[in-house]
């Protein structure tokens, strides 16, 4: 009899890991940023199986191993290896395995030819360029020799290899300056001549090649930097929106506008102006537009004078628990941080200095850690080691803590100032290292 079967809209990933040292593996998307993270369970016998509905390139992590993986709709890719000897035992098989196998060989070739660590970035420009020319040549030879990969993919991947090479040339100045300790280093014009030939309007390459996407993004960010350098009064995000609105290719325009706004909107003091500029810039990606509009609607609740979102019964390092309502009666300067966050720790000396300056005034200093529970003792130890003052609290669910989510915190450190009634003065308070913080406190007559 005839069956009305639904078309397959997924790929299968399956396999077995000998000596598996974790109970799960994580899949991260690379070419499609809407695919953030997917966790795959590893069974007791080392076997696993799962489905993925988004075609494209991924990285699969189990313990310390990052494995390139390519999946197309209808693929059934099998991965076998021994965790104790990953490099020598990794084997791909099944339907559609060929691209993944090539990508692993490509990665290994680059690792071998680059050498260890950051030594390659200390090379003089002729040797540096030669290294990456050799990598490019070797990878193109691998691609040419690979079987079972269609011509359309090979054509796009060959351009991707070229873009990756040009990307390495474009970062040479900053990387060589840092690792070779040459503060004012400038490469020769001839060195960057190939980079100047890049066209920044290829939609196909933008959607396929992470290297090309990075080159395009850096191109427009550099344009913005030049404009802001020429006029320091310009707002960087608004300038990026203006530059993005002039991009001819609609797909690239949509991406650049979204990247300009998606994080900066959560820290913007000029929320209305930024949102209005984004709306007028011509993005046609409905998913992106809806996300920005949702962020805008939520952020409107975090403007000056509105009641602050609340937290209840966060663990207090001094003992017991503390809720936000317990702190009414004084201005409250809130620092959302974590022990693993370098910029957060970098603000500690300035924070202690400001605390000392305003000791006994009508303000209290509150630090909320979003460390994982496994790092609870590390949090307590750092408080003691750094002699942290103020009120030290531990959030209840990392980034997903309701208070953190309500403030739409996308990056830390994050600083917030509340008035004595628990209303928002600013959801984007200056950092302790910024002189504008003390100016704000004095303006409020704290």
């Amino acid at each position: 009899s005839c069956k009305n079967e639904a078309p397959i809209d997924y790929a299968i990933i399956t396999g077995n890991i000998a000596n598996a040292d974790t109970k799960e593996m994580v899949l991260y998307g690379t070419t499609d940023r809407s695919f953030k993270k997917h966790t795959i369970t590893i069974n007791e016998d080392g076997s696993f199986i799962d489905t993925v509905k988004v075609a494209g390139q991924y990285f699969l992590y189990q313990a310390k191993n990052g494995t390139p993986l390519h999946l197309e709709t209808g693929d059934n890719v099998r991965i076998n290896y021994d965790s104790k000897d990953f490099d020598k035992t990794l084997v791909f098989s099944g339907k559609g395995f060929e691209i993944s196998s090539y990508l692993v060989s490509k990665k290994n070739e680059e690792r071998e030819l680059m050498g260890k660590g950051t030594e390659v970035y200390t090379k003089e420009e002729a040797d540096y360029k030669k290294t990456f020319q050799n990598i490019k040549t070797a990878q193109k030879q691998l691609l040419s020799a690979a079987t079972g990969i269609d011509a359309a993919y090979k054509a796009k991947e060959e351009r991707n290899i070229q873009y990756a090479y040009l990307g390495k040339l474009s970062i040479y100045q900053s990387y060589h300056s840092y690792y070779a300790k040459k503060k004012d280093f400038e490469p020769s014009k001839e060195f960057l001549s190939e980079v100047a030939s890049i066209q920044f309007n290829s939609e196909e390459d933008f959607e396929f090649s992470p290297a090309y996407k990075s080159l395009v993004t850096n191109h427009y960010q550099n344009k913005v930097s030049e404009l802001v350098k020429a006029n320091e009064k310009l707002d960087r995000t608004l300038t990026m929106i203006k530059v993005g609105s002039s991009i001819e290719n609609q797909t690239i325009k949509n991406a650049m506008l979204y990247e300009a706004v998606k994080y900066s909107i959560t820290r913007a003091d000029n929320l209305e102006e930024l949102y209005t500029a984004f709306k007028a810039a011509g993005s046609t990606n409905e998913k992106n537009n809806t996300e920005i509009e949702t962020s805008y609607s939520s952020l409107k609740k975090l403007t000056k004078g509105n009641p602050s979102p609340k937290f209840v019964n966060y663990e207090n390092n001094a003992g017991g628990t503390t809720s936000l309502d317990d702190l009414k009666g004084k201005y409250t300067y809130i620092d959302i941080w974590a022990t693993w966050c370098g910029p957060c720790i970098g603000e500690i000396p300035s924070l202690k200095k400001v605390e000392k300056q305003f000791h006994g005034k009508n303000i209290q200093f509150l630090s909320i850690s979003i460390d994982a529970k496994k790092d609870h003792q590390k949090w307590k130890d750092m408080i003691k080691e750094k002699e942290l003052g103020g009120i030290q609290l531990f959030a209840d669910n990392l980034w997903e803590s309701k208070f953190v989510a309500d403030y739409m915190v996308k990056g830390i450190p994050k600083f917030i100032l509340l008035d004595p009634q628990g209303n928002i003065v600013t959801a984007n308070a200056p950092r302790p290292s910024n002189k504008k913080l003390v100016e704000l406190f004095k303006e409020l007559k704290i």
Side-chain angles (χ1 to χ4, degrees):
S1 62
C2 296
K3 294 182 180 180
N4 184 19
E5 296 182 351
I8 293 175
D9 62 350
Y10 57 85
I12 297 173
I13 174 174
T14 183
N16 188 275
I17 305 170
N19 300 305
D21 48 4
T22 63
K23 295 182 178 180
E24 62 183 32
M25 52 174 48
V26 181
L27 197 64
Y28 291 97
T30 56
T31 52
D32 188 325
R33 293 185 183 181
S34 66
F35 188 98
K36 304 293 185 185
K37 175 181 176 182
H38 181 69
T39 301
I40 300 170
T41 300
I42 302 172
N43 299 318
E44 290 295 327
D45 63 355
S47 65
F48 62 90
I49 185 168
D50 213 325
T51 59
V52 177
K53 286 196 172 185
V54 181
Q57 292 183 195
Y58 298 90
F59 269 102
L60 185 63
Y61 283 89
Q62 187 268 326
K64 296 180 180 179
N65 301 317
T67 307
L69 181 68
H70 184 91
L71 297 173
E72 294 289 345
T73 299
D75 282 355
N76 190 334
V77 177
R78 183 171 184 83
I79 307 172
N80 290 348
Y81 62 87
D82 187 330
S83 285
K84 291 186 176 180
D85 195 2
F86 175 79
D87 289 334
K88 292 183 179 179
T89 60
L90 175 66
V91 176
F92 287 96
S93 59
K95 182 182 178 183
F97 79 92
E98 293 88 353
I99 293 178
S100 296
S101 186
Y102 154 73
L103 290 173
V104 170
S105 297
K106 172 189 171 185
K107 177 187 174 184
N108 292 340
E109 193 75 46
E110 179 171 349
R111 182 174 58 187
E112 182 177 341
L113 293 174
M114 270 188 67
K116 294 182 179 179
T118 59
E119 183 180 344
V120 67
Y121 300 112
T122 65
K123 292 184 177 183
E124 296 305 316
E125 62 179 50
D127 288 336
Y128 179 88
K129 179 176 279 192
K130 185 65 175 177
T131 297
F132 289 102
Q133 284 175 334
N134 290 340
I135 290 171
K136 177 178 68 171
T137 299
Q139 290 179 340
K140 285 188 175 183
Q141 288 173 347
L142 280 174
L143 179 64
S144 178
T147 57
I149 301 177
D150 67 50
Y153 180 92
K154 282 193 173 184
K156 289 186 286 188
E157 171 61 10
E158 186 165 353
R159 296 198 299 273
N160 178 46
I161 292 170
Q162 175 68 8
Y163 291 134
Y165 163 70
L166 295 177
K168 290 298 186 181
L169 298 189
S170 68
I171 66 171
Y172 179 63
Q173 178 180 356
S174 59
Y175 277 54
H176 186 70
S177 176
Y178 179 81
Y179 288 109
K181 298 183 175 17
K182 297 179 181 178
K183 184 178 178 182
D184 299 317
F185 170 75
E186 293 278 350
S188 66
K189 290 183 179 180
E190 182 181 310
F191 179 83
L192 295 172
S193 60
E194 292 170 281
V195 177
S197 66
I198 301 171
Q199 299 295 313
F200 297 100
N201 57 0
S202 173
E203 182 173 332
E204 182 177 61
D205 290 345
F206 188 82
E207 292 185 323
F208 176 84
S209 168
Y212 181 74
K213 183 174 287 188
S214 179
L215 286 166
V216 171
T217 300
N218 290 339
H219 169 71
Y220 288 112
Q221 286 179 343
N222 289 339
K223 276 193 170 186
V224 172
S225 296
E226 289 170 6
L227 292 169
V228 173
K229 186 177 180 180
N231 183 356
E232 294 181 357
K233 293 182 179 180
L234 291 176
D235 178 277
R236 187 174 183 88
T237 302
L238 289 173
T239 304
M240 185 67 237
I241 293 173
K242 184 176 180 179
V243 169
S245 67
S246 67
I247 297 173
E248 291 184 7
N249 181 273
Q250 190 64 52
T251 296
I252 297 176
K253 175 194 282 191
N254 289 344
M256 292 298 100
L257 291 173
Y258 174 67
E259 291 296 324
V261 175
K262 68 172 181 176
Y263 292 124
S264 60
I265 194 172
T266 65
R267 293 178 176 267
D269 293 321
N270 55 342
L271 178 64
E272 292 291 340
E273 185 181 13
L274 192 154
Y275 179 67
T276 300
F278 176 80
K279 289 281 285 184
S283 170
T284 59
N285 186 304
E286 290 303 319
K287 183 179 179 181
N288 290 351
N289 295 351
T290 299
E291 181 182 328
I292 299 302
E293 185 171 352
T294 300
S295 295
Y296 166 73
S297 298
S298 299
L299 288 163
K300 283 183 72 174
K301 302 172 185 176
L302 302 177
T303 52
K304 184 176 181 179
N306 286 323
S308 172
K310 297 182 180 180
F311 61 82
V312 178
N313 295 332
Y314 278 7
E315 178 189 347
N316 191 321
N317 181 62
T321 62
T322 299
S323 300
L324 188 63
D325 281 344
D326 299 334
L327 304 175
K328 287 183 178 179
K330 290 185 176 183
Y331 283 95
T332 304
Y333 183 65
I334 303 173
D335 169 18
I336 299 176
W337 74 296
T339 59
W340 48 261
C341 169
C344 301
I345 295 170
E347 290 292 332
I348 288 175
S350 298
L351 178 59
K352 292 170 73 171
K353 183 178 178 181
V354 174
E355 285 178 351
K356 183 177 181 181
Q357 183 178 349
F358 286 85
H359 180 71
K361 304 291 185 180
N362 189 32
I363 188 169
Q364 54 202 339
F365 294 86
L366 168 66
S367 295
I368 301 175
S369 165
I370 58 170
D371 278 291
K373 288 182 179 179
K374 67 180 180 63
D375 293 324
H376 181 268
Q377 188 58 47
K378 184 178 178 183
W379 166 67
K380 295 186 77 69
D381 290 343
M382 186 168 286
I383 292 172
K384 185 176 180 180
E385 175 194 340
K386 301 288 187 181
E387 299 180 334
L388 302 184
I391 303 164
Q392 298 290 332
L393 304 184
F394 198 85
D396 57 0
N397 193 23
L398 296 89
W399 293 94
E400 284 72 43
S401 302
K402 188 174 185 301
F403 181 76
V404 176
D406 285 345
Y407 268 103
M408 299 187 67
V409 178
K410 304 294 184 183
I412 54 176
K414 167 81 170 180
F415 299 95
I416 301 162
L417 181 63
L418 307 182
D419 70 15
Q421 290 74 46
N423 298 320
I424 297 169
V425 176
T426 173
N428 296 293
R431 295 185 176 201
S433 59
N434 188 335
K435 66 179 182 180
K436 290 183 178 180
L437 179 64
V438 170
E439 292 173 3
L440 175 61
F441 287 175
K442 290 181 177 179
E443 182 183 322
L444 295 168
K445 296 181 170 53
I446 292 175

